[in-house]
Amino acid sequence: MGAAPASRDVTSYGMGLAAPLALFFLFFFVAPLLQLLWLSLHNDTAALHWGLGQYLHFLTDPFSLSVLGSTLLLGAEVTAVCLVLGFPIAWLYQRVGPRLQTIIILIVLLPLLTSVVVRTFAWIVILGRQGIINATLQSLGIIDTPLKLLYTQFGVVIALAQVQMPLMTLPLITALGRIDPNLDDASCSLGAGSWRTFFRIVLPLSLPGVIAGCTLTYAAAITAFITQSLIGGGQMLFMPMYLYQQASTLQNWPFASAISIIFLLAVLAVVSVFTTLGRLSRGYGGA
Amino acid sequence: MAEAQGGRSLVVDAVTHRYPSGALAVENINLDVKGGEIIALLGPSGCGKTTLLRIIAGFIAQSQGRIIIGDDIVDALPPNRRAVGIVFQNYALFPHLSISENVGYGLAARGIDKATRQREAQRLLELVQLPAMAERLPRQLSGGQQQRVALARALAIKPSILLLDEPFAALDKNLRLDMQIEIKRLQRVSGITTLIVTHDQEEALSMADRVAVLGHGKLEQFGTPSDVYDRPQTLFVNTFVGSSNRMPGVVISADRTAAKVRLDAGAEIIARPAGGVLTEGGRVTVCIRPEHLQFVGDETGFAGVVGMSLPLGATVVHEVTTADGSGVKISQARIGETRALESGAAVRLAPLAPSLANAFPATL
Ligand SMILES: Nc1ncnc2c1ncn2[C@@H]1O[C@H](COP(=O)(O)OP(=O)(O)O)[C@@H](O)[C@H]1O
Ligand SMILES: [Mg+2]
């Protein structure tokens, strides 16, 4: 230990340099959060009477619970779609030449370079009654009446999946890139076919990336206010919009606060499941 | 491993490979390996050794030529059906599987049940002298141990050919010698046909029954270690395998077994025509190994001035500058009090015997 007096343990450095960031978090994150908690613990809109009424109301109201349930389900669906579509892209990325890699990265990143609002409106153009999909199917004579794509769960999932795809693909590309390509060859020379190699070697070793991608995608999908509202229309209600209505339209700040806290806890629960899985899989990816 | 098939033969028949990028990696390689032989594929970095190995294993489809294992042309078989065992340079152990699972991986792919797999893995780990490591993960093992595991894993599928890509490059010197002996022992016991890729000529000469020397994608010579070392067929082999002084000269007279050459350094010597026909008056390069030169008395040999002397343990190497200004190395066994040669001393040098000087037609 004492042999190297010049190099101090990193944890022993003064925390002074972190102070600006800490102050920023204190004022703009911790303080509002505490205020939210304080508000949610009042039974009346004027916030005069303490009580757990808002939470009781939410947890006994079938409508509120169904909004929470459908939001968490939406996140799961979007995450699943992103994983199923993103994994092959990431896998392909590691197996093509440098020029194609550049093109794939560009395609993956492109959504990030346009505004969410613009991308969402593009999906309205694609999914609408007179949209590209319906017009094509109709002119091909495959369908007679337009399909209802917009304002459906399906439409929201597809649009969100496209919007959040980079959050899944980028961690996957990183994780797959860390796997020694010789492992593929070693597995193959030992007699394993490509499916065995995939399920026994590639997938377990890419788990850290899968978990990181799922956590990011999930968190982003369930809180994606704009896309959820525009594609879902008035007919589908998810937590962010529900919250917004209670706060902005109905001015019921204590209930809105309670919704936020419950939503936050639900998201934290899901994310901690992911991270626990991540910790369990860390035994793997290390190499 | 007494039950292993006695090692199948391997024929590399006129194999040429050009990468899609246009690089010609190997060109018209012919090798005929008998069952049970150890062959070293020796050549400098970038000469196409790994490419040839990957072609034999089936990871690369060669542009031209055939690979024949035993009696079968295997060109149409994917790597997982060639029964070729490979030990990769970085071992490529599966980091998330235990040592026992690593060794049993190939058996699992063949649908063998878990109990049998574990028993077989344990037997192989005992063979490579790591019986107590079965439950560990690869990263908990040292480099030499990982390599033994990689070897056990490759042997588990009872391959007909064993390929090793620069197997000792990452090991330190003492461990390298241990592993060389170990691999040679395992090869003897199993009788498995083995191809070792290396750029280390000592390794090739000490381990292999026959050595294939590759240079720039071409097969320069394929022969026993003493063939390659004592009777090199090309200038490349002579200078790459062992060290050699290259001395330019002119042919005075030549027949098939001996040539009289006038060295630019200023002496006439008899040399062995090593690389084809020599014509009178033609320029040649004569190769003489440092240990095949001796100091001689006046009037014979060629003159030079001693520069630096390097004592290298059992031998002393002197650097001598000759009359034409080129440098020549001579190595002497250190027997008792070797005559100390001072820098600047005038000396005369000559080859120990005519057969130890090889003359190659100069290429220009
Ligand atoms: N995947 C590849 N694509 C293009 N050229 C390659 C590839 N792999 C190797 N080469 C080229 O082929 C030649 C032989 O390479 P390699 O077989 O790896 O040599 P060695 O193993 O003897 O060092 C080199 O010139 C190298 O640049
Ligand atoms: Mg190589």
Side-chain angles (χ1 to χ4, degrees), chain A residues 135-216:
Chain A
T136 311
L137 290 179
Q138 274 180 309
S139 68
L140 289 175
I142 296 174
I143 52 169
D144 295 329
T145 49
L147 296 174
K148 185 169 162 57
L149 300 171
L150 208 54
Y151 312 132
T152 62
Q153 179 91 358
F154 170 80
V156 177
V157 170
I158 291 299
L160 274 176
Q162 191 260 336
V163 171
Q164 319 294 3
M165 189 63 86
L167 299 179
M168 180 64 87
T169 323
L170 292 178
L172 285 179
I173 284 179
T174 311
L176 287 176
R178 287 221 188 101
I179 302 178
D180 174 6
N182 279 342
L183 295 185
D184 251 21
D185 290 346
S187 169
C188 193
S189 75
L190 289 168
S194 5
W195 288 110
R196 173 179 285 272
T197 303
F198 180 79
F199 283 111
R200 295 284 286 142
I201 308 296
V202 179
L203 193 58
L205 288 176
S206 67
L207 269 189
V210 170
I211 285 156
C214 286
T215 311
L216 290 172

Side-chain angles (χ1 to χ4, degrees), chain A residues 180 182-183 185-193 196-197 200-201 204-205 283-284 286-287, chain B residues 54 59 79-80 84 86 88 90 92-97 105-106 108-110 139 153 157:
Chain A
D180 174 6
N182 279 342
L183 295 185
D185 290 346
S187 169
C188 193
S189 75
L190 289 168
R196 173 179 285 272
T197 303
R200 295 284 286 142
I201 308 296
L205 288 176
Y284 295 159
Chain B
R54 294 176 63 82
F59 296 128
N80 56 346
V84 168
I86 305 191
F88 292 86
N90 65 353
L93 297 178
F94 305 125
H96 58 303
L97 300 181
Y105 186 89
R110 281 163 177 68
R139 65 166 166 272
R153 183 178 70 173
I157 60 168

Side-chain angles (χ1 to χ4, degrees), chain B residues 201-219:
Chain B
Q201 37 114 359
E202 276 178 33
E203 193 169 293
L205 297 179
S206 66
M207 291 198 68
D209 299 323
R210 285 193 290 162
V211 178
V213 185
L214 286 185
H216 305 298
K218 292 205 187 72
L219 184 62

